Amino acid sequence: MKHFFTTIKFLIGWPLSLVALFFVGKALIGKGAVITQIHSLNILPLVMSLGCFIAFFVLRVLFWQKILAYQKMHFSFKETALTWGFSELKRYIPGTIWPILGRSSAYEKLGAEKKAILASILHEAEFLGVACLTITIFSLNFLYYGILGQHNVLIPSLIGIVIGIVALIFVFHKPLLKKNSGIFRLLPNFPPKQMLSLFGIMISAFLLFGLATYFAIDAIVPLFIPHILPLSAFFVFAFLAGYLSFLAPMGLGVREGIVTIGLTKYVSLSESALGALFSRVIQILSELLFLLLCVVWKKVSAKTKKVEQFILAYKYELATLFTSCCYTVYFSIASILRYNNFFTGRFDLGNMDQTVWNTIHGRLFQLTDPNGTSIVSRLAFHADFTLIFLSPFYLIWQDPRMLLLLQSLALGLGGIFVYLIAQNVLNKKSLSFAFALSYYLYPAIAYANLYDFHTVTLAVCLFLASWYTMLKKKYFIATILLLLAATTKEEVWFITGLFGLFFIFWKKQYILGTLLSLVSFSLFYLLIWHAIPFFHGGAHFALSYYSDFGTSPSAVVANILLSPLKIIMDVLRKGQLVYLFELFGPLFFLPLFALPFLIFAFPDLAISLLSQNAQLHTIYYHYAAIPTPFLFLAAVYGFARLAKKFPQFFGSFGMLIILVPAVVSAYAFGPLPGAYHMSDAMFVSQLPYARLIDTFLLSIPRKYSVAATNNVGSHLSHRQKIFTIPVGLQDADIVVFLLDDSYAQPSLKDQKKMAQELDKNPAYIKLFSYQDFVVYKKKSVPTYYKKHNTNILPLFKGN
C-alpha cells in the first residue's frame, strides 16, 4: 500500500506541478503587453529578488531541520534541504494532502516516524501562520487605508494589538496558560528559548519573502520605494491568504488576486496583474534554482566538505561580513546618488573635498573661506587633519565621491569591530552578531553616513578598532589608532587624553599612557585656545553656541563646572531628552549599566547637550558620531554585567533584548529603506537633467572663480576659489544658480531674486539657462563652444 501511494503521488504530482507552471507562463506570455514589459526589465531588483527568494528557502529548510531536531530527529542541512525541496513541489497540486504525503513519505525513507513528521508539519503551519500575521501588522495601515479606503486609525491599531497578543501567547503559551489545556493542546510543546528561535527564523524567512516579492514586481512594474516595508508585509499577508486557500495549488490565483487589488493604488490594473503573476514566476524559478543548487551541492559534497565545515564553524563571522558588505554597498550607492542629484552641498562635502584637492596639489590644508572670498587654512575652522591623510586617495580618483566611498567603507568596518569586541567580552557568537546588526541598524550611524562627508565619522571605526587591539593587548597599535582618531577633529584630542589616563591607571602602561595624555591634552589646549583662534582671526566660531557660559574657552569651561543646576536644566529640555532617547533607546539603555565607559563619550555629549545650536543635539547630522562607539562599548559591557546577575533571562532572551529595540528604532526614526522616515529623495526625486548640469560644471575652467548656490558647491570645489551665494556675487567670474533647494540660504525666494537682479546687472551676462539651472558670467570672461558640445552648452576658453 505504501508503494502504491508513492507511485500515485509521483505519477500525479509532477505532471500537475508542471501544469501549474504551464498556466502561469501562459498567463504572462498570452498578454501582448508582456513582451514590451519584459524588454524593460530592471536587472538589479530581479537579481535581488532571486537572492531573497533563495534565502527564504534556506531559512525554511533551517526551520524544518530545527523543528525535527527538537523532536529527536537529526538530519544534516544538506539532506534536509534536498528532501524538503523536492517534497515542497507537491504543494502546487490542488489540495493539501499531496505536500503532506510527499514530505512524510520522503522522511520516512530517512528513518523518521510518520507521527512525528505529521506533528512537525502541523507545528510548521502554526509558526507560519503566526509569523505571517505578525509581519502583517506592518501592512495594516496600507490594508485599511489603501484597499478599504477607511480613515479610522483605531481599527488597525486594535487589530495590531490583537495580533501581537496572539503571537506572544503562541511563543510563551506555557508560562501564560496551563500546559496542554484546551485548544492549546495542539501548540508546540517546546521550551520558550526554542520557540523564540523557531519563531525568529520563520519571521526572518517571510520578511525575505515579502522583500523578494517586492523586488520581483519592481523589476517589471516600478513601485514606490518608501513603501517597501508595508508593501512587503502586504505580500506576506497575500501569501497567508493563499496558503489558507486549500483548494488552490499553493493559493495560485488567490494570492495573485489580492496582490493585484493592493497594487492598483500605485499602478494600473493590468500592470498590477502582470506584477503579481511575474512575482509568482520568479518565485518558482527561484525554487527550481534552489533545488538545482541542492542537487549540485550533493554531487560535489565530497569536494566541498572543508568549505562546508568552514562555513558552519564561522557562520556568524561570515554573516557579519556579509551584513557589512551590504551596508557599505547600500550607503555607497545612496551617498553617490545624493551627490549625483545635487543633494550634497558645499557645506560640508565641498569644503572637505576642496581641502583634500588643494592638499594633493601642494596647497596644504587650504580652502576658500566658507563665509568669504579669501583663501584660508582649514585650521581657521577645524583641526580635522585627517583630510591631509586622505589626500593620497585622490591619486586614485580625484572626486568628492571618493570621500563618500571611504566614509561608507569605514562605517561598514565598524560593525565588524563591534562583533569582535562583543565576542571577546561575551564569548557568544550569536549575541556578538546581534550587536553587529544593531550597529548597522543604529539610526545615528545611518544619518551620519548620509549627511555628506565628515572626518569625525571615520573616528567611529578608529575608536572601535583601538579598543579591540587593547583587548588583544596590542597597546602600541591601539595608540596609533587613537592618534589617528584624534586628527578627525580638535575636541577628540581630549578623549584620547582620557585614554592615556586609562592606560596609566587601568592597563598599567605607564610610559605609553603618560605620553598619550601629555600629547593629547597639550594639543587640545593649543588648538582650542590658540591655533584655531589665530587662523580664524578671533575665538573659535563655535564658541558662540555657549555664550550662556562665557565668551572665552576658559570662561565656558569654568562656568560649566561651577553651574551644575544650569547644566541639569539644560539637559532636561525636550530637545536634549529626545536626543538622549534616540542615542540610548536603540541600545535598550544598556550603556547605563556600564557607566565608566561613558566617560569617553561624556565630552562630546556635553558639547552637544549644552549647545544653543539645535543641530548639535540631534542625530540627523554627524554630531553623534563621536559618542557612538563608546555607547556600543558600554552596551556590550552593560549586557555582560546584567547577564551575570540574571543569567536565565539574558541567556534565553539575549538576542531579543539587543535586536528588538534596534529594529523598532530603525523603523521609528531611522533613514533606512522601509523606515517610517526613510531618506529616499536620492531614489525617488532624482533631478532629470542632473547629467546636463554636471557636464556644464565640469567644463568650467578651474582658473575661474565661481559663486554658486550651496547645492552645486560640492561639484565645483576643485578650484582655489569657490564662493557660496550670496557671498561673491560681485567678485566671481562665474555665478551658478540651481534654484530648487528648499533649504537655500537666506531663502529660495531670495536666491531667485538675486538671479533676477543679475539679469539687470551690466557687468554680467546670462550664459546658460535650463529650468532651475542658470549661469552668469562676467563680460570680461571669454566664451567659446567646444566642438563636441556645439549643440548643447556654451563653454569657456582656457583650462
Side-chain angles (χ1 to χ4, degrees), residues 711-780:
N711 50 355
V712 294
S714 61
H715 292 250
L716 290 163
S717 49
H718 287 185
R719 65 193 65 250
Q720 286 188 271
K721 289 194 172 184
I722 168 72
F723 319 133
T724 303
I725 290 173
V727 173
L729 276 176
Q730 305 303 318
D731 303 296
D733 297 320
I734 312 296
V735 180
V736 181
F737 290 94
L738 180 55
L739 300 168
D740 68 348
D741 185 6
S742 57
Y743 299 99
Q745 296 297 325
S747 71
L748 184 56
K749 182 180 178 180
D750 289 331
Q751 287 192 355
K752 290 180 177 179
K753 187 177 179 180
M754 293 173 199
Q756 292 170 358
E757 289 174 352
L758 275 185
D759 281 329
K760 304 171 185 177
N761 191 328
Y764 283 86
I765 61 171
K766 184 181 288 186
L767 184 62
F768 183 76
S769 177
Y770 185 82
Q771 296 193 27
D772 292 325
F773 180 62
V774 189
V775 183
Y776 300 87
K777 76 173 189 69
K778 282 184 176 179
K779 284 187 175 180
S780 57

Side-chain angles (χ1 to χ4, degrees), residues 691-704 706 715-716 718-719 734 736 767-768 773 775 781-790 792-799:
R691 188 174 179 183
L692 181 148
I693 296 174
D694 212 33
T695 301
F696 189 96
L697 298 180
L698 288 171
S699 302
I700 299 175
R702 289 173 180 169
K703 68 179 182 179
Y704 294 129
V706 179
H715 292 250
L716 290 163
H718 287 185
R719 65 193 65 250
I734 312 296
V736 181
L767 184 62
F768 183 76
F773 180 62
V775 183
V781 175
T783 65
Y784 79 106
Y785 294 86
K786 277 191 174 181
K787 292 181 181 179
H788 63 280
N789 277 334
T790 53
I792 305 175
L793 303 169
L795 301 176
F796 305 88
K797 289 181 180 179
N799 291 306

Side-chain angles (χ1 to χ4, degrees), residues 369-546:
D369 186 348
N371 305 308
T373 59
S374 59
I375 296 173
V376 298
S377 169
R378 174 70 181 165
L379 198 53
F381 301 94
H382 287 299
D384 41 8
F385 300 117
T386 306
L387 295 171
I388 298 173
F389 303 137
L390 293 177
S391 60
F393 286 100
Y394 272 35
L395 295 174
I396 302 171
W397 187 26
Q398 292 188 37
D399 194 283
R401 286 167 287 193
M402 172 59 82
L403 297 179
L404 299 176
L405 289 173
L406 291 172
Q407 179 171 255
S408 296
L409 178 61
L411 289 173
L413 286 172
I416 295 175
F417 285 108
V418 168
Y419 174 88
L420 294 172
I421 292 167
Q423 178 59 16
N424 195 281
V425 175
L426 302 173
N427 196 28
K428 192 168 183 180
K429 292 185 175 182
S430 59
L431 295 177
S432 303
F433 177 60
F435 270 112
L437 275 181
S438 70
Y439 170 89
Y440 291 120
L441 293 171
Y442 196 60
I445 288 287
Y447 281 117
N449 206 152
L450 286 176
Y451 183 58
D452 285 19
F453 171 84
H454 299 87
T455 53
V456 287
T457 58
L458 306 182
V460 175
C461 180
L462 291 169
F463 275 127
L464 290 169
S466 67
W467 190 269
Y468 176 69
T469 54
M470 276 190 280
L471 290 175
K472 294 299 181 180
K473 298 183 178 180
K474 298 177 180 180
Y475 298 109
F476 180 75
I477 297 176
T479 302
I480 298 298
L481 292 169
L482 287 170
L483 291 173
L484 286 174
T487 63
T488 60
K489 206 173 179 184
E490 56 273 11
E491 75 266 21
V492 184
W493 287 104
F494 187 83
I495 298 173
T496 57
L498 293 177
F499 268 98
L501 298 178
F502 177 76
F503 277 15
I504 295 170
F505 295 106
W506 277 271
K507 296 298 180 180
K508 310 302 180 185
Q509 298 294 312
Y510 301 110
I511 296 176
L512 205 56
T514 301
L515 289 173
L516 182 60
S517 290
L518 287 174
V519 170
S520 297
F521 287 134
S522 298
L523 284 173
F524 173 72
Y525 172 77
L526 289 171
L527 289 170
I528 300 294
W529 270 259
H530 299 285
I532 293 177
F534 173 79
F535 284 97
H536 187 67
H540 194 300
F541 76 94
L543 200 63
S544 60
Y545 302 159
Y546 309 92

